[in-house]
């Protein structure tokens, strides 16, 4: 427009009116005019732009146009070189310019026309500019809204897709990994339902802040929507650092929040996919991370899980099942079975619960635990529920007597306005009286509109059906709903019944409270999942009115139930195991059995903390003691309580423990070095005779060589400290590996040194007899030998390892401090010889790095290691009862329970320990704050700390050898803890 106007001025010699219009346009500050000569120097520029640039019009005349203005980096005209434009003989339009001077945010759309002399030579350019700063800011705001989440300020899904595509392209080019973490909040819906959506929004902002703090880069944290976030990391190549980051995220997001004066506690589950292993493209990677997230939530939430091909196969299987489920009703694959509900004291059947079963034509019976979640996810649950309601009414109408039939109603059915008409139709077509139909409703129906729920309850009661509250106590605000909902029965969920008779369980108190509540409200009670006679006896004592479970009967078909009722068999005598056993896991796991000097391989079919069923092993008599090998150094004494054919039922001498992820494991693991010295095969290997075990060696002696606690049934329990002769190198290697169990990397390094250097040197057969003189001579010679493949760092590691094992032998009183092998004083003289101790500067760096760790105990654990010189395992197991802070002593139990040793505490150590808070009745000084038990490992937390301190070569146990005195601690280190 203005270029054309300028040409008119030039052609018509400018009229007075046109000149006035141009001056008015310049004064409006909406734009300006400019003119340059053939050298690109300004000969005219509007006063308004000179003022904006904080210069005078006179100062600008004569300056090069390109020294004052430059093309904006995001100009989309395709022209990037302003000097080139001013030397061409072509007009240009809409080029976006900004000031060269930084700090001034102004943008103009500039147009220019060349002008020539009579000979056709270029004489310069004339043009105009329009201020587009406001338009640009508005565009940037719109662009930001399109790429960033308005609530949290984090990049959104669209931005994530762009970023991930760019990262993956660069990662493929530079052969780097890219990690995608999908983070989903656990129990977030409860916050929205109880505190309202504004509180939920405030909580999401806090979550975003914590994620940014942990990840450290805002542009790598994304909010995908709802309570789902994504983290992209492109600079973590090893799995340990990825696991550490995932653990930090879960730990941080699980800490309490303060929202509008209310305390909220949620959790987080994470699914992880890593390129290129789990996919090269964005869609693949996100899909696989989503599958891993689903698996982590299915496994119990509050944990992370890496993608595996098994998950993809499972997702495909689920997709196929979903397709088959859509046709299951049409193809008559669904059926109902009925489990009797029995009066607790008369043993008479009063009703049944209808349970749905799916008989797949090729896969066989499909568990409801598998197909019901699929039905809920796909919206098929209402269709299946309506069919079950009609079928149950039809079957019940054909039974003699007046027993009731209970049918589960899903929240989706309940909120559907057609439920009353479906019930009326089912009752009318079957002829079943309304009072014989009982609807079992879960607490999930209360999470929607309470007014709608109240109206639905009133409508159902008018029809005349009975209402039962199912899974009582497992949802939200149960007592508030009982006050208004017209229930006839409360069903006590089997999670309260389960393990109610086991020692230490509080479930019986909960059941008693539920019974008292139901009686006060005039309601019946039914306890689900009763399988053992001792459970039934407890339920009867607690006053529960009805029972449902295998102790009376498994689910029956309609025909079987009709035959039972027709014969007048209204009463059922309870049968089953007399006592409840620990919950058993059905698994398929390779295992080994050691008996005499033979190793036998088999398969564990089920496993509990107290016992297991092992298949594939015969010839082992009942009541014999064996050692069971669960793999990975997990060995335990067990008694064979049943031997039938090739099946063994075994009872562990010491119960297994939960490792925190739902997997059962032994309390201690036998080191790889010990396993190697005995030549033990792996579970699943062919059966064999162990050449390292003598025929006359007892099982207890073999267990002692493995470092296992002698079985309680053994008549004698030989104490390791009382064994004749000096302690062998193998004895101390085992004890040392146990003593550093809190640092997995240190254990791995020590096992590698033992199995790759010492064991091949001396041989397996002599490992039990090897003394310290031979070891000392070997280690001393290493510095001179320089064996092939053994570098300076290897030599230093071996010398350090040997010196620490000697210190352990002295502490355990297996050798005396002055019994140093002759000629080996430089190796065994004192703990810190043979390798470089940690300096005061390194100690300060490490402790400072620990202050930022999410593990709030880590800094105190490190401080106690530095101040006492004790081993990591001793510090982690420290009990208040072993401390006498007044006297400044610590009684450290010796391994194997063979007494203790007194350790003198410095004044600084006493001050640190005295400042620690006691956690109620927890006996440990520095426990895991979540479990209140000693840490099993600190590897992940320690790895983060040492990398932050730039001291990645150190082990946690190295902190025992810090070289600073009391004064240095007070001035340099203690202020960090404060």
């Amino acid at each position: 427009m203005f270029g054309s106007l300028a040409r008119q001025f030039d052609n018509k010699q400018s009229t007075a009116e046109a000149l006035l219009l141009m001056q008015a346009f310049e004064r409006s500050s909406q734009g300006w005019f400019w003119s340059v000569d053939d050298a690109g120097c300004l000969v005219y520029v509007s006063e308004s732009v000179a003022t904006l640039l904080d210069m005078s019009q006179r100062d600008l005349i004569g300056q090069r146009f390109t020294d004052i203005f430059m093309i904006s980096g995001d100009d989309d005209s395709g022209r990037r070189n302003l000097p080139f434009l001013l030397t061409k003989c072509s007009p240009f339009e809409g080029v976006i310019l900004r000031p060269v001077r930084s700090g001034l945010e102004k943008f103009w759309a500039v147009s220019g026309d060349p002008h020539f002399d009579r000979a056709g030579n270029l004489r310069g350019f004339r043009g105009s500019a329009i201020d587009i700063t406001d338009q640009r800011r508005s565009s940037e705001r719109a662009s930001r809204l399109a790429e960033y989440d308005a609530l949290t300020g984090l990049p959104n899904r669209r931005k994530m897709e762009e970023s991930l595509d760019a990262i993956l392209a660069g990662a493929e080019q530079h052969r780097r990994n890219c990690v995608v973490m999908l983070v989903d909040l656990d129990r977030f819906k409860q916050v929205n339902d109880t505190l309202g959506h504004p509180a939920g929004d405030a909580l999401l902002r806090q979550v975003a802040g914590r994620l940014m703090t942990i990840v450290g880069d805002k542009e790598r944290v994304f909010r995908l929507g709802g309570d789902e976030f994504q983290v992209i990391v492109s600079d973590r190549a090893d799995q340990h650092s990825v696991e550490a980051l995932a653990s930090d995220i879960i730990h941080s997001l699980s800490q309490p929040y303060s929202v509008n004066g209310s305390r909220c506690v949620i959790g987080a589950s994470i699914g992880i996919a890593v390129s290129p292993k789990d996919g090269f493209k964005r869609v693949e990677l996100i899909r696989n991370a989503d599958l891993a997230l689903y698996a982590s939530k299915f496994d119990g939430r509050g944990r992370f899980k890496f993608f595996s091909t098994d998950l993809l196969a499972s997702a495909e299987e689920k997709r196929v099942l979903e397709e088959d489920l859509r046709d299951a009703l049409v193809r008559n694959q669904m059926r109902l079975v009925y489990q009797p509900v029995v009066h607790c004291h008369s043993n008479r059947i009063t009703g049944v619960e209808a349970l749905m079963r799916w008989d797949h034509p090729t896969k066989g019976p499909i568990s409801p635990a598998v197909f019901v979640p699929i039905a809920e996810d796909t919206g098929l649950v209402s269709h299946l529920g309506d069919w079950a309601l009609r079928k149950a009414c039809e079957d019940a109408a054909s039974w003699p007597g007046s027993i009731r039939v209970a049918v589960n109603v899903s929240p989706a059915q309940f909120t559907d306005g057609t439920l009353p008409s479906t019930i009326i139709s089912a009752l009318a077509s079957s002829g079943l009286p309304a009072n014989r139909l009982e609807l079992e409703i879960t607490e999930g129906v209360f999470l929607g509109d309470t007014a709608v729920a109240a109206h639905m309850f009133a409508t159902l009661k008018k029809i005349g059906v009975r209402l039962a509250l199912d899974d009582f106590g497992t949802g939200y605000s149960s007592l508030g709903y009982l006050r208004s909902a017209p229930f006839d029965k409360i069903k006590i969920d089997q999670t309260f019944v389960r393990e109610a008779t086991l020692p230490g369980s509080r479930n019986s108190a909960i059941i008693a409270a539920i019974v008292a509540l139901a009686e006060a409200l005039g309601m019946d009670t039914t306890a689900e999942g009763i399988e053992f006679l001792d459970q039934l006896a407890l339920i009867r004592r607690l006053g529960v009115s009805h029972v449902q479970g295998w102790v009376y009967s498994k689910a029956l078909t309609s025909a079987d139930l009709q035959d039972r009722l027709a014969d007048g068999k209204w009463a059922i005598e309870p049968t089953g195991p007399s006592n409840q056993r620990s919950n058993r896991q059905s698994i398929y796991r390779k295992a080994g059995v050691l008996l005499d000097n033979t190793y036998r391989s088999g398969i564990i079919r089920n496993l509990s903390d107290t016992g297991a069923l092992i298949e594939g092993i015969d010839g082992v008599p009942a009541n014999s003691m064996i050692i069971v090998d669960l793999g990975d150094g997990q060995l335990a004494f067990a008694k064979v309580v049943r031997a039938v054919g090739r099946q063994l039922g075994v009872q562990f001498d010491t119960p297994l423990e939960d490792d925190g992820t739902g997997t059962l494991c032994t309390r201690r693991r036998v080191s790889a070095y010990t396993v190697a010295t005995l030549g033990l095969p792996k579970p699943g290997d062919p059966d064999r005779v162990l050449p390292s075990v003598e025929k006359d060696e007892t099982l207890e002696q073999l267990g002692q060589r493995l470092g296992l606690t002698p079985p309680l049934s053994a008549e004698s329990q030989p104490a390791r400290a009382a064994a004749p002769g000096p302690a062998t190198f193998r004895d101390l290697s085992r004890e040392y590996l146990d003593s550093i169990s809190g640092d997995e990397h240190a254990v791995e390094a020590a096992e590698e040194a033992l199995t790759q250097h010492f064991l091949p040197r001396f041989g397996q057969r002599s490992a039990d007899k090897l003394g310290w003189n031979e070891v000392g001579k070997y280690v001393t010679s290493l510095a001179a030998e320089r064996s092939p493949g053994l570098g300076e760092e290897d030599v230093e590691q071996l010398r350090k390892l040997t010196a620490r094992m000697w210190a352990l032998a002295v502490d355990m009183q297996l050798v005396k401090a002055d019994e140093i092998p002759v000629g080996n004083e430089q190796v065994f003289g004192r703990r810190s010889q043979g390798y470089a101790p940690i300096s005061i500067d390194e100690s300060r760096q490490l402790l400072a790095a620990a202050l930022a760790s999410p593990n709030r105990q880590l800094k105190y654990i490190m401080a106690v290691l530095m101040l006492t010189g004790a081993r990591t395992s001793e510090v982690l197991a420290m009990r208040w009862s072993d401390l006498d802070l007044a006297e400044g002593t610590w009684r450290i139990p010796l391994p194997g329970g063979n007494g203790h040793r007194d350790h003198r505490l410095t004044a600084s150590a006493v001050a640190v320990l005295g400042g620690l808070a006691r956690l109620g009745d927890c006996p440990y000084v520095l426990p895991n704050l979540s479990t209140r038990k000693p840490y099993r490992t600190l590897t992940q937390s320690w790895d983060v700390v040492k990398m932050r301190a730039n001291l990645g070569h150190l082990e946690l146990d190295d902190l025992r050898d810090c070289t600073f005195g009391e004064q240095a601690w007070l001035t340099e280190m203690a202020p960090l803890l404060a």
Side-chain angles (χ1 to χ4, degrees):
M1 166 186 173
F2 291 103
S4 175
L5 185 60
R7 287 194 295 273
Q8 293 179 26
F9 291 167
D10 190 43
N11 294 337
K12 299 179 180 180
Q13 302 299 314
S14 303
T15 63
E17 186 66 27
L19 183 61
L20 291 174
L21 288 173
M22 292 177 61
Q23 292 173 344
F25 177 74
E26 288 182 315
R27 288 195 299 272
S28 71
S29 298
Q30 296 180 21
W32 44 275
F33 298 102
W34 59 277
S35 178
V36 296
D37 59 19
D38 57 351
C41 296
L42 283 167
V43 295
Y44 176 80
V45 66
S46 299
E47 180 69 30
S48 59
V49 73
T51 303
L52 188 65
L53 296 173
D54 198 22
M55 299 177 70
S56 68
Q57 193 176 27
R58 184 189 299 257
D59 293 335
L60 288 177
I61 300 302
Q63 291 197 37
R64 296 183 62 84
F65 192 78
T66 55
D67 290 341
I68 303 171
F69 304 101
M70 61 187 295
I71 292 181
S72 176
D74 56 356
D75 176 81
D76 58 2
S77 66
R79 293 159 291 193
R80 294 288 183 267
N81 194 319
L82 183 59
F84 176 72
L85 290 177
L86 296 179
T87 58
K88 289 182 64 178
C89 298
S90 303
F92 58 86
E93 289 185 14
V95 177
I96 300 177
L97 298 186
R98 64 182 179 85
V100 170
R101 194 184 79 190
S102 61
L104 183 61
E105 188 181 10
K106 273 289 181 181
F107 299 89
W108 300 278
V110 178
S111 301
D113 282 304
H115 62 95
F116 306 91
D117 59 16
R118 295 182 180 275
N121 299 314
L122 179 68
R123 304 300 298 163
F125 272 80
R126 299 187 184 108
S128 60
I130 299 176
D131 191 337
I132 61 170
T133 305
D134 289 341
Q135 298 175 20
R136 181 186 176 86
R137 288 173 180 167
S138 177
S139 177
E140 286 180 348
R141 281 195 298 269
S143 176
R144 180 170 182 81
L145 289 175
E147 295 187 338
Y148 288 84
D149 175 50
L151 178 64
T152 63
L154 294 176
N156 61 15
R157 185 183 296 272
R158 175 180 171 183
K159 184 70 172 177
M160 177 275 294
E161 292 175 350
E162 295 176 357
S163 300
L164 185 53
D165 285 338
I167 292 172
L168 288 175
E172 184 176 3
Q173 181 179 357
H174 297 94
R175 299 183 180 275
R176 291 200 304 261
N177 288 350
C178 176
V179 180
V180 171
M181 295 183 177
L182 283 181
V183 183
D184 191 80
L185 304 183
D186 302 330
R187 302 184 298 278
F188 175 75
K189 188 176 186 301
Q190 182 178 355
V191 176
N192 270 343
D193 291 338
T194 56
L195 299 180
H197 288 278
D201 291 346
L203 179 59
L204 289 174
R205 284 191 288 268
Q206 293 188 41
V207 168
R210 293 187 185 185
L211 282 173
M212 285 188 289
T213 300
I214 296 169
V215 178
D217 185 351
K218 178 181 178 181
E219 296 302 313
R220 291 293 177 265
V221 181
F222 306 85
R223 184 187 177 210
L224 305 185
D227 59 350
E228 191 173 16
F229 296 81
Q230 182 170 313
V231 174
I232 301 177
V233 185
S234 58
D235 57 351
R236 294 182 185 240
D238 63 292
Q239 182 168 327
H240 287 297
S241 62
V242 176
E243 290 176 349
L245 177 61
S247 295
D248 287 348
I249 290 174
I250 291 173
H251 178 81
S252 177
L253 298 188
S254 301
Q255 301 306 306
Y257 300 79
S258 178
V259 179
N260 299 336
S262 298
R263 184 176 183 268
C264 301
V265 179
I266 60 173
S269 300
I270 299 178
I272 306 172
V274 183
S275 74
K277 179 173 66 73
D278 299 332
F280 293 92
K281 302 299 182 182
R282 165 172 50 86
V283 175
E284 288 180 297
L285 212 55
I286 294 177
R287 178 202 63 192
N288 293 341
D290 194 50
L291 290 174
L293 173 63
Y294 179 83
S296 70
K297 297 178 82 69
F298 183 80
D299 286 349
R301 304 175 184 270
R303 61 191 67 192
F304 61 85
K305 198 173 188 71
F306 285 86
F307 170 77
S308 67
T309 53
D310 293 343
L311 298 178
L312 191 59
S314 177
E316 175 61 20
E317 182 180 0
K318 178 184 175 183
R319 185 191 65 79
V320 172
L321 283 177
E322 177 185 328
E323 293 179 358
D324 293 345
L325 185 59
R326 294 183 183 276
D327 300 326
L329 280 179
V330 177
R331 295 175 179 173
N332 295 320
Q333 296 170 6
M334 307 303 296
R335 61 187 175 91
L336 292 183
V337 293
Y338 300 92
Q339 185 169 45
V341 178
V342 181
H343 191 275
C344 200
H345 296 285
S346 68
N347 294 336
R348 291 181 62 82
I349 300 176
T350 61
V352 293
E353 179 183 0
L355 303 173
M356 193 176 300
R357 298 291 183 262
W358 180 15
D359 296 322
H360 194 280
T362 59
K363 301 179 183 298
I366 306 294
S367 169
V370 174
F371 73 78
V372 170
I374 295 176
E376 290 174 342
D377 292 342
T378 56
L380 294 173
V381 68
S382 294
H383 186 47
L384 291 174
D386 290 348
W387 171 84
L389 186 62
R390 295 179 182 276
K391 179 63 175 173
C393 290
E394 178 185 332
D395 288 347
S398 66
W399 302 333
S402 58
I403 67 169
R404 290 187 292 268
V405 60
V407 182
N408 289 279
V409 174
S410 69
Q413 284 177 279
F414 189 84
T415 55
D416 186 350
T418 63
L419 178 62
S421 60
T422 301
I423 293 173
I424 293 172
S425 174
L427 293 174
S429 62
S430 65
L432 184 73
N435 62 357
R436 289 182 57 191
L437 175 62
E438 187 171 85
L439 304 180
E440 294 191 356
I441 301 169
T442 64
E443 293 171 337
V445 303
F446 296 108
L447 298 181
D449 191 325
T450 55
V452 172
H455 176 73
M456 180 62 72
F457 279 122
T459 303
L460 295 176
K461 291 305 291 183
K462 287 180 181 178
I463 295 174
V465 298
R466 287 171 54 88
L467 302 178
L469 179 57
D470 199 9
D471 300 337
F472 177 75
T474 60
Y476 314 126
S477 306
S478 302
L479 298 181
Y481 299 133
L482 284 179
R483 183 176 56 190
S484 56
F487 289 108
D488 302 287
K489 178 192 290 186
I490 294 176
K491 297 196 71 173
I492 302 170
D493 190 72
Q494 59 183 327
T495 56
F496 297 117
V497 176
R498 190 179 301 134
E499 301 184 359
T501 59
L502 296 181
S505 174
R506 298 181 178 180
N507 290 2
S508 59
I510 296 174
I511 295 172
I514 295 174
V515 171
L517 176 65
E519 289 179 348
L521 295 173
M523 301 177 185
D524 293 334
T525 49
T526 296
E528 298 179 286
I530 308 297
E531 299 180 12
F532 305 97
L533 294 176
D534 61 341
Q535 286 182 338
L536 178 60
L538 174 65
I539 291 300
R540 285 172 170 171
R541 287 199 305 272
L542 296 176
V544 177
S545 60
H546 294 80
V547 168
Q548 183 179 335
W550 286 10
V551 74
Y552 279 111
S553 174
K554 294 185 178 181
L556 305 171
T557 66
S558 178
D560 290 340
L561 182 63
Q562 188 170 9
D563 291 343
R564 177 185 290 272
L565 298 176
D567 293 342
K569 296 179 180 179
W570 293 89
I572 307 177
E573 290 299 321
T575 59
S578 58
N579 295 313
Q580 180 181 2
R581 301 179 299 177
S582 298
N583 188 33
R584 293 190 171 231
Q585 302 174 355
S586 295
I587 61 174
Y588 182 91
R589 179 174 176 176
K590 295 178 181 178
V593 167
L594 283 81
L595 181 64
D596 299 326
N597 64 340
T598 305
Y599 187 98
R600 311 275 300 277
S601 288
I603 300 294
I604 291 183
R605 287 296 185 180
N606 61 50
L607 179 69
S608 73
D609 58 347
T610 58
L613 174 65
I614 306 176
E615 291 184 347
I617 298 177
D618 56 9
V620 179
N623 298 318
S624 58
M625 290 297 297
I626 59 175
I627 294 177
V628 177
D629 182 5
L630 301 176
D632 295 326
Q634 299 184 77
L635 293 104
F637 279 107
K639 181 180 180 180
V640 179
V641 295
R642 187 178 70 258
V644 180
R646 293 175 59 80
Q647 282 191 346
L648 299 180
V650 303
Q651 179 179 348
F652 295 119
D653 189 70
T654 302
L656 304 183
E657 293 185 340
D658 190 325
D659 68 353
T661 65
T663 302
L664 294 172
C665 62
T666 57
R667 295 184 181 180
R668 294 175 62 181
R669 295 181 185 241
V670 177
S671 71
Y673 176 75
T674 300
V675 170
T677 60
L678 291 175
L680 295 185
K682 295 180 180 179
D685 287 353
D687 298 351
R688 71 182 66 175
V689 175
L690 301 177
S692 59
V693 180
E694 303 295 339
K695 288 185 178 181
D696 58 351
E697 186 172 358
T698 67
L699 196 70
E700 285 75 16
Q701 289 172 330
L702 176 58
Q704 183 178 349
R705 293 173 62 189
L706 288 166
L708 303 179
T709 303
L712 298 176
S713 58
E715 295 181 0
S716 61
Q717 299 185 22
R720 199 173 294 128
T728 67
F729 184 73
R730 190 195 63 79
D731 291 332
L732 267 299
S733 68
R734 182 186 65 229
E735 298 297 347
Y736 176 70
L737 290 170
D738 282 344
S739 75
I740 59 173
S741 58
D743 187 350
E744 290 179 355
H745 290 174
V747 172
E748 184 179 348
E751 286 183 346
E752 181 180 358
L754 290 165
T755 55
Q756 294 188 11
H757 297 293
F758 287 105
L759 188 58
R761 176 82 180 186
F762 300 111
Q764 296 180 4
R765 297 289 293 181
S766 61
D768 289 335
K769 304 174 183 178
L770 190 63
W772 284 93
N773 274 308
E774 293 86 351
V775 176
K777 290 176 184 178
Y778 171 57
V779 175
T780 303
S781 67
L782 284 176
E785 256 183 18
R786 296 294 183 269
S787 302
L790 202 63
E792 288 288 349
E793 291 184 1
D794 297 319
V795 172
E796 183 178 339
Q797 174 70 15
L798 292 175
R799 289 165 65 84
K800 177 172 69 173
L801 175 66
T802 312
R804 285 189 172 165
M805 289 167 62
W806 174 260
L808 177 62
V810 174
D811 289 344
M812 292 178 63
Q813 302 173 9
L814 297 178
V815 297
K816 295 181 181 178
D818 56 358
E819 293 179 354
I820 299 173
V822 177
N824 296 293
E825 290 81 1
Q826 62 172 326
V827 177
F828 302 110
R830 61 187 178 88
R831 180 169 53 217
S832 61
Q833 282 190 339
Y835 58 94
I838 301 178
S839 67
I840 180 65
D841 288 338
E842 291 172 329
S843 303
R844 187 172 56 251
Q845 288 173 242
L846 290 166
L847 199 56
L851 299 180
S853 173
N855 184 340
R856 291 178 288 166
Q857 294 283 54
L858 184 60
K859 55 181 176 292
Y860 300 114
I861 293 171
M862 292 171 57
V864 174
L865 285 169
M866 293 175 178
L867 291 169
T868 64
R871 280 171 287 279
T872 304
S873 59
E874 295 169 341
V875 173
L876 297 182
M878 180 188 290
R879 294 172 177 262
W880 290 109
S881 58
D882 294 329
L883 291 176
D884 187 342
L885 297 182
E887 294 293 329
T889 59
W890 173 17
R891 292 165 59 91
I892 302 178
L894 295 178
N898 302 310
H900 67 275
R901 61 185 173 89
D902 289 332
H903 186 94
R904 295 295 303 174
L905 298 172
T906 64
S908 296
V910 170
V912 171
L913 293 170
L916 296 175
R918 299 198 182 197
L919 302 178
D921 57 355
C922 178
Y924 300 103
V925 179
L926 291 163
N928 184 315
L929 296 177
S930 299
T931 65
R932 302 207 172 189
K933 294 180 180 179
Y935 285 96
R936 295 182 66 88
T937 175
L938 293 168
T939 300
Q940 293 181 351
S941 301
W942 170 247
D943 283 350
V944 174
V945 166
K946 68 182 183 181
M947 296 309 294
R948 283 176 179 164
N950 199 26
L951 295 168
H953 64 285
L954 294 179
E955 299 169 359
L956 186 61
D957 220 38
D958 289 333
L959 297 181
R960 302 168 54 198
D961 301 297
C962 296
T963 56
F964 55 77
E966 197 82 348
Q967 185 59 37
W969 170 266
L970 293 174
T971 58
E972 301 272 353
M973 310 290 285
L976 293 176
L977 283 185

